[in-house]
Each structure stands twice: as structure tokens, then as C-alpha cells.
């Protein structure tokens, strides 16, 4: 069976092994199949190489001096820059404990020593195929983030709004004990929630004064447009309700669906509160930036009026008070 017959999968593979003969053998095997190979004689060098070069896959010997393959794997998986790179650990067939520890530190696959050529190539190709898909997904997400930031960048008054919203919404979500996928959705939602403003003309988006009835109508379409833009991305499925419902109000007077109370998705209620706070504490052409205390007072009145979820607002006040540095001091929303 020839592996050359399958569609060409290429990539850069980092091989870390303290035995020179093992490194050379692996390098020869993988280079022969068209892969770029980088080698490292120990763990620290492997991590250094990884910070310098873009590797698509890492093969680590478990037993290495200075730093074991398990430790290197753990560091790779703990670093947001590298955690998506698949890691194969090579270990002796009999060492079950190595494999259990390997799973614990996030290894993606294992290879028994002595390494079998066919098995090595099959595992490498399978993981690289997966990595290719992850890369595509990452690229699609990063296009959306770039688009969202470019919309934010149009308005000098909204500078940094997305990042602050992402940070504070995720922190508020954590404080409320939301599951990890909702916290991640809040972080993403913070950046992309206003992406639908791409459909709003600049003359309206950047208008210094109030908006006419017609202009408001267009502006109020941005949550639905934003949801439509992000809908094809499966990894954004928890973000979509945040985008669509971030302008709903607790008493049903918000838009686009006029949802009320608990029927507004929880994560959207979280983002709405952070969004409004950021807008209040931001200078706009028609208003000065409120202090944190003033913004919270205003929002307390709005909670009494029925606009915001009182329980979430209560937690948000705690979050703000507990924050040593109040970084939410610039931003805007509409
Ligand atoms: Fe918005």
C-alpha cells in the first residue's frame, strides 16, 4: 500500500528525541514523505523551536533528560498559541502509565517504540488532516473577528469596546458559574456582537446627533444581520443567541424580538448589561463619559424600570467593585 497515493498532506513536524539515532531515523522517514522536519534533542529546545517556527505536529519522546515529553506536551497544551498543535508521544509499548499520563496532559496520540514506519505515517497523516480543518476553522473565525474590529475601528469613540466587552462579559459569565462553552461564547460575542453594523451606512453609524425614525429602523436590524453573518460557522452556535438578543430588555421593550425575562438567553442578558455599562462610561459626541458610580446609578434606575436582569446586574456591580482597576472606561454602543 502506498501512502503517496492519498491526497498530498504536507506540513512541518517537530521531532524531539534525546537519541540522535532516533531523530535521524524519524527525520529521514518523514522528509522522504515530503514533510518539513525540525528536530530537537530535548524538551526546552523543542519549546524554543516551537516559539520560533510554525509546526503543524509535534512528536515527543516521553523519556528525555531536563524535561520529559509529558512536561513538554503539558506546556504545549497550556499555551493558547500552541494548544491546537497535535502532539504524538512515543513510548514503550509496555508502559501503560505513560499513556495514562499522556492522556492527562492532552496528548493526541501515542506511538510505541520501536516506531513502526507504517503506523507513524498513518498517525501523522490523520492528525495533520485534522489540523488542516482546525486551521480552516480558525481562519474563518479570525475573518469574522477582523471584520468586527474594522467596524469598531470606524468610530473613534468605540475604540477598544470589543475587547473590553469580551473580557468583562466572560468574567461576569464565570462569576455567574456559566458552563465553559457559554463563557467562551461570551468572549467571542463581546467581539462580534455588533458585526451586523456592516449593513448600516456610515452616515448613520457615525452620525453625531440623534437618529431619525427611519435611521433607527436600519440600526435596529444589526443584531439579525449579525446573526445571519455568523450563522454558517458551527463553532459559533452558542454565540448566535448573544448576537441576536443583545439589545433585548427584561421587560420586553427591546429588539429585535421583544423577548422578556428569562426567555432572553442568559448569555445575551449578561452581554447587554456589560454593553450598556461600557456605553455609559464612554464619551460620545453628545455626552461626556460617566464615572463608574454614575453609570451604575443610572443602570440601577433602569433595572427598577424593568430593563435589565436584576440578579445579573447585582453580580455585575460586585464584579466592578471587586475589580482593582476599572478598565471599562471607554467604549460605546447603540
Ligand atoms: Fe449592538
Amino acid at each position: 500500500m502506498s501512502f503517496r497515493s492519498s491526497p498530498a498532506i504536507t506540513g512541518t513536524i517537530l521531532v524531539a528525541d534525546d537519541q540522535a539515532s532516533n531523530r535521524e531515523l524519524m527525520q529521514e522517514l518523514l522528509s522522504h514523505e515530503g514533510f518539513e522536519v525540525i528536530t530537537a534533542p530535548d524538551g526546552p529546545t523543542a519549546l524554543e523551536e516551537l516559539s520560533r517556527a510554525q509546526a503543524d505536529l509535534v512528536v515527543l519522546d516521553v523519556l528525555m533528560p531536563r524535561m520529559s515529553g509529558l512536561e513538554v506536551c503539558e506546556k504545549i497544551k497550556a499555551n493558547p498559541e500552541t494548544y491546537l498543535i497535535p502532539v504524538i508521544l512515543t513510548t514503550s509499548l509496555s508502559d501503560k502509565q505513560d499513556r495514562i499520563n499522556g492522556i492527562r496532559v492532552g496528548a493526541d496520540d501515542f506511538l510505541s517504540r520501536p516506531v513502526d514506519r507504517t503506523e507513524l505515517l498513518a498517525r501523522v497523516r490523520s492528525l495533520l488532516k485534522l489540523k488542516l480543518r482546525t486551521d480552516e476553522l480558525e481562519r474563518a473565525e479570525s475573518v469574522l473577528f477582523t471584520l468586527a474590529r474594522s467596524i469598531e475601528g470606524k468610530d473613534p469613540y468605540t475604540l477598544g469596546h470589543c475587547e473590553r466587552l469580551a473580557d468583562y462579559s466572560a468574567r461576569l459569565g464565570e462569576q455567574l458559574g456559566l458552563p465553559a462553552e457559554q463563557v467562551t461564547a461570551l468572549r467571542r460575542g463581546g467581539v462580534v456582537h455588533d458585526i451586523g453594523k456592516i449593513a448600516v451606512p456610515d452616515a448613520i453609524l457615525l452620525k453625531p446627533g440623534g437618529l431619525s425614525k427611519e435611521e433607527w429602523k436600519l440600526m435596529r436590524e444589526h443584531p439579525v444581520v449579525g446573526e445571519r453573518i455568523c450563522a454558517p460557522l458551527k463553532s459559533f452556535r452558542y454565540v448566535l443567541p448573544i448576537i441576536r438578543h443583545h439589545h433585548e430588555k427584561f421587560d420586553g421593550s427591546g429588539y429585535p424580538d421583544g423577548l422578556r425575562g428569562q426567555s432572553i438567553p442568559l448569555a445575551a442578558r449578561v452581554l447587554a448589561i456589560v454593553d450598556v455599562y461600557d456605553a455609559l462610561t464612554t464619551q460620545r459626541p453628545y455626552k461626556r463619559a460617566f464615572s463608574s458610580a454614575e453609570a451604575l446609578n443610572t443602570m440601577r434606575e433602569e433595572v427598577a424600570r424593568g430593563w435589565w436582569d436584576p440578579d445579573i446586574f447585582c453580580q455585575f456591580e460586585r464584579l466592578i467593585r471587586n475589580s482593582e482597576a476599572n478598565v471599562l472606561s471607554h467604549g460605546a454602543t447603540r
Side-chain angles (χ1 to χ4, degrees):
M1 175 179 167
S2 165
F3 283 101
R4 286 244 181 241
S5 61
S6 56
I9 294 171
T10 54
T12 303
I13 302 172
L14 171 66
V15 175
D17 200 308
D18 58 316
Q19 303 284 323
S21 55
N22 286 343
R23 288 199 303 275
E24 281 158 20
L25 181 75
M26 207 85 93
Q27 177 155 37
E28 199 186 308
L29 250 168
L30 294 168
S31 308
H32 182 256
E33 293 296 319
F35 299 108
E36 289 283 326
V37 183
I38 310 167
T39 58
D42 53 44
T45 314
L47 290 172
E48 258 175 57
E49 287 290 351
L50 214 51
S51 65
R52 236 193 327 262
Q54 283 246 320
D56 299 298
L57 177 77
V58 180
V59 182
L60 295 171
D61 181 18
V62 170
L63 285 177
M64 287 190 289
R66 296 178 68 197
M67 193 186 278
S68 77
L70 291 168
E71 286 173 86
V72 180
C73 178
E74 194 166 26
K75 285 191 191 300
I76 291 172
K77 295 298 178 183
N79 181 348
E81 298 286 318
T82 57
Y83 78 101
L84 289 174
I85 302 174
V87 174
I88 298 178
L89 289 177
T90 59
T91 173
S92 77
L93 189 60
S94 55
D95 208 335
K96 191 175 158 197
Q97 194 54 44
D98 272 355
R99 291 181 181 234
I100 293 169
N101 290 337
I103 292 167
R104 188 179 48 78
V105 296
D108 297 270
D109 212 340
F110 300 91
L111 267 177
S112 302
R113 287 207 173 282
V115 172
D116 177 81
R117 174 185 176 276
T118 315
E119 194 187 353
L120 167 72
L121 293 177
R123 290 185 193 273
V124 161
R125 288 209 168 89
S126 148
L127 285 173
L128 282 177
K129 228 187 270 177
L130 206 65
K131 172 73 168 34
L132 214 63
R133 280 196 213 118
T134 316
D135 286 352
E136 278 166 12
L137 190 67
E138 266 204 308
R139 271 196 290 278
E141 285 181 10
S142 83
V143 167
L144 288 184
F145 289 142
T146 306
L147 183 61
R149 288 191 179 104
S150 76
I151 297 161
E152 176 197 73
K154 283 185 187 179
D155 186 349
Y157 289 97
T158 63
L159 196 69
H161 175 64
C162 291
E163 301 307 328
R164 286 191 303 275
L165 234 65
D167 182 38
Y168 263 69
S169 304
R171 282 165 66 182
L172 184 53
E174 271 169 9
Q175 190 174 301
L176 289 163
L178 298 193
E181 71 268 11
Q182 291 290 343
V183 173
T184 305
L186 277 167
R187 199 173 289 285
R188 289 167 160 165
V191 180
V192 301
H193 66 289
D194 274 342
I195 199 166
K197 284 183 178 172
I198 191 85
V200 180
D202 284 2
I204 299 175
L205 204 59
L206 306 175
K207 192 173 174 179
L211 301 181
S212 71
K213 212 176 152 193
E214 274 311 298
E215 289 166 340
W216 261 118
K217 196 169 163 263
L218 258 176
M219 182 63 105
R220 286 159 69 109
E221 282 173 10
H222 79 267
V224 176
V225 174
E227 184 194 33
R228 211 178 300 139
I229 291 171
C230 297
L233 217 54
K234 277 207 176 75
S235 62
F236 267 44
R237 62 188 176 282
Y238 295 114
V239 188
L240 299 184
I242 299 175
I243 299 173
R244 184 176 182 104
H245 299 297
H246 74 275
H247 283 292
E248 304 284 1
K249 288 189 178 133
F250 211 55
D251 62 359
S253 64
Y255 63 94
D257 300 313
L259 298 184
R260 62 172 69 224
Q262 312 292 326
S263 62
I264 305 168
L266 180 55
R269 276 178 270 149
V270 169
L271 190 104
I273 283 176
V274 183
D275 195 21
V276 168
Y277 177 83
D278 200 48
L280 289 172
T281 51
T282 300
Q283 189 198 338
R284 298 297 314 236
Y286 50 86
K287 70 173 257 301
R288 67 177 172 84
F290 285 11
S291 71
S292 176
E294 286 171 325
L296 290 174
N297 274 338
T298 303
M299 289 182 76
R300 223 171 281 126
E301 286 166 21
E302 292 174 349
V303 169
R305 216 179 295 162
W307 285 7
W308 316 123
D309 185 319
D311 297 332
I312 298 176
F313 177 70
C314 193
Q315 290 292 331
F316 180 64
E317 272 194 300
R318 259 187 55 200
L319 179 71
I320 294 292
R321 296 227 164 89
N322 292 343
S323 297
E324 285 178 3
N326 180 8
V327 293
L328 277 174
S329 53
H330 303 80
T333 186
R334 230 168 190 162

